[in-house]
Amino acid sequence: MMRKWGKYLIILFAIVLSACGKPEAKYVFFFIGDGMGPVQVNAAERYLASMEGRNGIVPLAMNLAHSRGNITTYSQNSYITDSGAAVTALATGNKTSNQTLSMDAEHRYPFKTIAEAAKERGMKVGIISTVDIDHATPAGYYAHQPKRSNYYEIGIQLANSNFDFFGGGGFRNITDPKGFDPVNVIDLAKKNGYLYINNATAFNYLEPGAGRVLFVHPAVSDDYAMPYSIDMDEGSIALSQITQKAIDMIDNPDGFFIMVEGGKIDWACHGNDAAATIHDVLALDEAVKVALEFYSKHKNNTLIIITADHECGGMTMGTSYGDSNMDLSKLQWQMGSFMELTREYHAIRKGLLDVLGEEALKADSSWAFDFILTQTGLGDESKGLGFNSYEIKELSVAYSRSFDEKNYNDPYEYIKYGSYDAFMIAASHMLSRKVGIGWSTFSHTGIPVPIRAFGAGAQNFAGYYDNTEVYNRLLDIIKK
Amino acid sequence: MMRKWGKYLIILFAIVLSACGKPEAKYVFFFIGDGMGPVQVNAAERYLASMEGRNGIVPLAMNLAHSRGNITTYSQNSYITDSGAAVTALATGNKTSNQTLSMDAEHRYPFKTIAEAAKERGMKVGIISTVDIDHATPAGYYAHQPKRSNYYEIGIQLANSNFDFFGGGGFRNITDPKGFDPVNVIDLAKKNGYLYINNATAFNYLEPGAGRVLFVHPAVSDDYAMPYSIDMDEGSIALSQITQKAIDMIDNPDGFFIMVEGGKIDWACHGNDAAATIHDVLALDEAVKVALEFYSKHKNNTLIIITADHECGGMTMGTSYGDSNMDLSKLQWQMGSFMELTREYHAIRKGLLDVLGEEALKADSSWAFDFILTQTGLGDESKGLGFNSYEIKELSVAYSRSFDEKNYNDPYEYIKYGSYDAFMIAASHMLSRKVGIGWSTFSHTGIPVPIRAFGAGAQNFAGYYDNTEVYNRLLDIIKK
């Protein structure tokens, strides 16, 4: 009897629901972990539990989303995508060729991005990345270029975008590298009403009403990106703080669209650097928590999406050599990213070369072993990171090869060392292997990546579908 | 106005729904791809598209499930589980130690399994696997043993289980290897009312009303498992046919619980054999289609779950060496599983050894290169599988090492060759690498695995949770 009533009420309910309309998301957060496949996230979760000395995981905030799906990532011309084609799919709903940015594969016309559509609907837009703000993923939301490496042209399009908040890394080319165009990107941005900020004091004092913001992190280095999270000084501005600042600055009754990229997850994975990867995943999760805090106050119309453009590195959680308990806490002895450690390593080597000459230095690798011992714990028996004779041999061979930097003609040497310093990448691989993490490539892979959603319309993102569909599903539920 | 009405109706609807009760699943299919992580499935999807000469994927039926989640797989004592602890979690909802089967970690008491609970509720039960039916995953549903290798004791528990249908692989120990117990497992099963069938004719003529069935595939070999799908003769009984037969035999008004394991996916992944993995994933998907066909006729009370106990192999879709287009169609030239090919390889080698002696044979690897050329296409330029000089060297080194079988003292040789024939595993790795597939281990990994669900109560399985929760969620919605 009750069942029968229930049936009629379901029909009635469905009618009313369709009359009432779909959920509408006025505040949209779109998080992209660049290169962040399922294993990158699981490694961070396992790391947290390992640091507590226990089995299992500590789930990340992003993984508490009930609505979960997976998206395929292949580009128009390759099963393994680059970040240009991937962001074009996510931001515009179109497949394009690798290296292209929010244009068709033949570079004839631009595709409108979800950020541009949000802007048209009266929402404010924020674009945040830990890498240079003219890099493929952030650029895909405001720029349209046949080549993602057109950094100067991308910068000009940023300055002309009318978007409301940019934050994170800097610019690769503020001036035209070809020398044709006299316009300076920063000057143009200022002329177009952006408040350009690149120090912590100004960032901290920044308050709503200051207008459009272009914030470049004070610690950006030669590569124009924010430091890896593992390399950050205490008190340095974190991705989560930039996310909070973007909310503070552009929160308004007409809503907003904020894209936040954890861009250096990808860079860490290119370098097969497990600890740097984990710390940047955790930094992205802290930014997700900021969005979740906002969501808790605006549950009816806030949507938070967390996904990736592709996986990078072919990261796995188990090796033939590794411990089946995956004690990732052994990564805690790594004092910085391998990219940063390699810079230090090269600086020390240069000093020694000047004193000893190449032949003598090649014959003595003890300083290099000392360096990785103090900087990563590798070789320290008491940390469970002692060497066997084969490992010493492996590192010694790599040490000799590291004098011929990036000159690996033998394809097998390329598989081993990529375009990295042979000794330092061998050390990175060895550390990963000892804690149980595997890598299959220095480049991207083709696996589908997770998509997770919280809030208004979240259920739209469940299922298994192509990355180009994300745009349509999003457009369907953001504020009309 | 309509919105306000909608709100009241939602409340009313919720009240009525809770009064009407939750969805109830009377017909439950539980598919386990042993070792089938997300990449194993994606590889099969990419293979199908590659065979059509196009980019992207052909989604598997199992992946069309809207309700999707991920489950952690770690065991009570290890982040990387074995199949014993994993099936204990899935079948009973309890963590246990690796190697244990549906008992607590200290081996004091048995845990009731979901199949036993279904039986108590009056449902019929079918247990199907492509590997030996006394192997950990199928055994976890009907047996309780401190050691998964207690094959004889497991066989006795099968014969006493009262379950209604067993099908697939055979038994490792039909008689007591210790010689204490005179009971023969098959005899006991017959005595307990099982119709024992091990030929195709009897299988085909098997009709409802014949009573309890114990079907052992006619092509089981020395390892008591069904052949790999890639090795099956045309017309051989497929996993999907066994699934269909189980439905035919145990379909009844009180419902059923059928567990179907694709057990050799795991074995193929242990051997890092991409083609064998893909074909066994496809065979499991065919069995899922049979369940979906049943579901289409009983939508209100059929539940289909597809998951895995753990990942195996650390499979990835990209290598530093591989093609970014991942042309998996190049795997089509592989004529059988590497396990089967290795058997043939050893048979040929034995013949040559008898004629030539070890020294002469070690000096001439040409026959081995010929063998992999004809059996896998490796070395064939016209198939895009030509060798460079480094690859020839790599295989030649492995050829020499293959005379000292399974005796790799150097841990790096173990990483390369595992416990496999050095030459054949080197060939398997090379083939994977050439098509773009990476592996990080010969063993299991610790990543969370997908869980997918169709039908009544499917939404209960969305989210991110531990494998032990699957049991409770299932118990909650199967027929009371």
Side-chain angles (χ1 to χ4, degrees), chain A residues 78-80 444-447, chain B residues 39 42-43 46-47 49-50 54-56 316-319 322-330 432 434-438:
Chain A
S78 174
Y79 192 64
I80 297 179
H444 302 167
T445 67
I447 63 164
Chain B
V39 181
N42 185 244
R46 176 70 195 123
Y47 175 78
S50 287
R54 62 182 180 82
N55 199 356
T316 74
M317 292 287 277
T319 72
D323 175 1
S324 76
N325 267 311
M326 302 280 310
D327 185 1
L328 301 194
S329 73
K330 290 177 187 170
S432 279
K434 279 178 175 294
V435 304
I437 287 175

Side-chain angles (χ1 to χ4, degrees), chain A residues 20-95:
Chain A
C20 294
K22 277 168 293 199
E24 196 176 73
K26 195 162 80 168
Y27 306 108
V28 179
F29 293 90
F30 200 95
F31 289 90
I32 301 179
D34 201 306
M36 187 178 76
V39 181
Q40 280 75 5
V41 176
N42 186 242
E45 295 180 326
R46 176 70 195 121
Y47 175 76
L48 294 179
S50 286
M51 288 298 286
E52 293 177 8
R54 61 182 181 83
N55 199 356
I57 60 156
V58 176
L60 295 198
M62 66 174 81
N63 254 343
L64 300 178
H66 184 73
S67 183
R68 303 165 71 80
N70 288 89
I71 52 175
T72 48
T73 65
Y74 58 91
S75 73
Q76 190 264 0
N77 64 336
S78 174
Y79 192 64
I80 297 179
T81 190
D82 85 316
S83 290
V87 71
T88 302
L90 292 172
T92 81
N94 294 282
K95 290 278 184 218

